[in-house]
Each structure stands twice: as structure tokens, then as C-alpha cells.
Amino acid sequence: MIANMNKFIAIVGSNSNKSTNRELLKYMKKRFQSAAEIELVEIKNLPIYKKSADKYVPQEALDIANKIEAADGVIIATPEYDHSIPAVLSSALAWLSYGIHPFVDKPVMITGASYGSLGSSRAQAQLRQILDSPELKARIMPSSEFLLGHSLQAFDENGDLKDEKIIKQLDGLFQDFLDFVNISKQLNNANEINKQKAKEFSWDKD
């Protein structure tokens, strides 16, 4: 393994045991293993987000937050349910911005797979808005939608994508993400104050 290889956390934005979004991330981990170390992270075991008087955060969320903090970037694969991200992903992001702020200035690449033809386009747009919220403030790669439609037919028996045009697009976007991450490492002069502002932010204040 290359000593300075980027390390990415890949969040499976679904609690389905047979999610094609998980298959997509597994494919990316395998295909890009010479360029980056990618660790898949599941959110399906996180409890549903709930505020508490003592601002309790479950250990599972703290563990994911620590992985994100230590990573050079994050890849999120989201399905689309009713034109939006799944409740389990929304809940996970709520935990990851509840007294902890691992996403602040963290480079993020958004991907998504769906059974239909649109490839989670509306869910990805919503996810961008959420990640740009004052409590999260991730650094989202611009103009980078990867929309895998008809995902049930997209993979072969080895878990590899079959369409060469789609593979070429994903290769290009992943290279863009590597460049984006490297550029982002030079853009963290305000990181400490950004984290402090995220920590102090509250919708209850005027």
C-alpha cells in the first residue's frame, strides 16, 4: 500500500441487506484499491435519532464520527425513497451533527443507485442540502452526480459494473474526487473556527 494513500469512509445510506448502493460502494472499493483505501461503514444498526436532555450520542455514532474525522474524505451512496433520502440516512446524519461535527470541511462525494431510470437524482440533491447545513458543513464535490439507474441489472455475477460508459464516468468522477480531496487539504485555514461555529449553532437561538 502506498504510504500517503488517501483513506476514505464509504457510508452505505440504506438499511437493506441487499442494497445496490452497498454493491456500488463495494465495487468502488475493489476498482480503486490502488488509488485509495476505502472502508465501508454501515448505519443500519444506529438507533433512530432522538434528542435528549443530556445530549446523549450512541457509541455507534461516535465510532462512525471518529472514522470520518480520521479519513481524508467520505463517499455516501444513497437510494431514493419518495424523492428523498431514506429515513435511516437522515437519522444517521442527525446523530453525526448532534454535539459532534466530523463533517465540517470534510470532502464528500455523493453517489446513488436506484432500481428506476433516475438513479436517485432527487435524493442526491436533498443530500447536498443537508450536508451544507450549519451543523454539518461538509465540503461537497461540485457538479459530480453519479446516478446509477436500473441498478438491479447493472452488476455482473462478480459484482462488477457491466456498462463501459458508466464505468468510464465513475472512473473520471473518482479521479476528480481524488483531486478535490488533495485541493481541500490546502483549504483548511478556517477549519477550527468553522467547527466552533457548528458547535455553537442552534436553531433555537435568534
Side-chain angles (χ1 to χ4, degrees):
M1 184 176 295
I2 302 172
N4 61 350
M5 180 179 287
N6 283 309
K7 296 182 179 180
F8 299 148
I9 297 301
I11 296 176
V12 181
S14 170
N15 57 3
S16 170
N17 290 327
K18 296 183 178 180
S19 172
T20 52
N21 283 276
R22 183 182 295 104
E23 293 304 305
L24 173 59
L25 293 178
K26 287 168 65 177
Y27 170 77
M28 293 177 68
K29 177 178 180 175
K30 179 172 62 173
R31 182 162 183 84
F32 304 125
Q33 60 185 321
S34 63
E37 179 184 339
I38 301 176
E39 178 185 355
L40 267 65
V41 169
E42 300 283 353
I43 58 174
K44 59 184 179 180
N45 294 323
L46 280 172
I48 293 297
Y49 172 72
K50 181 181 179 182
K51 287 185 177 181
S52 61
D54 60 352
K55 284 206 167 184
Y56 169 77
V57 179
Q59 187 61 48
E60 296 93 335
L62 294 174
D63 291 342
I64 295 174
N66 289 335
K67 289 178 182 289
I68 293 171
E69 286 276 13
D72 296 295
V74 178
I75 304 167
I76 303 177
T78 181
E80 182 171 311
Y81 300 155
D82 300 325
H83 291 183
S84 63
I85 65 172
V88 65
L89 180 54
S90 178
S91 177
L93 293 173
W95 280 128
L96 293 168
S97 58
Y98 187 53
I100 54 176
H101 304 282
F103 274 104
V104 173
D105 295 330
K106 187 68 64 174
V108 176
M109 176 182 183
I110 298 175
T111 66
S114 73
Y115 296 169
S117 59
L118 294 178
S120 77
S121 60
R122 294 181 180 90
Q124 289 195 33
Q126 184 193 41
L127 182 54
R128 284 179 177 274
Q129 288 184 313
I130 294 171
L131 288 169
D132 195 40
S133 67
E135 305 96 318
L136 284 159
K137 270 302 175 194
R139 185 172 285 147
I140 311 144
M141 186 167 73
S143 304
S144 60
E145 282 187 325
F146 180 72
L147 309 171
L148 182 63
H150 304 292
S151 57
L152 285 175
Q153 295 82 40
F155 299 94
D156 64 19
E157 62 275 8
N158 297 315
D160 296 325
L161 287 173
K162 295 187 288 187
D163 190 315
E164 287 298 326
K165 288 184 179 179
I166 291 175
I167 293 171
K168 186 176 180 180
Q169 181 193 19
L170 182 59
D171 286 350
L173 288 174
F174 190 78
Q175 183 58 56
D176 285 348
F177 187 55
L178 291 174
D179 294 339
F180 181 67
V181 168
N182 290 331
I183 291 170
S184 292
K185 290 176 180 178
Q186 305 173 48
L187 303 177
N188 280 326
N189 296 300
N191 181 252
E192 289 303 317
I193 192 167
N194 287 344
K195 285 189 174 182
Q196 188 62 34
K197 288 179 70 176
K199 184 178 179 181
E200 294 172 353
F201 179 83
S202 172
W203 289 105
D204 299 325
K205 295 179 181 179
D206 292 332

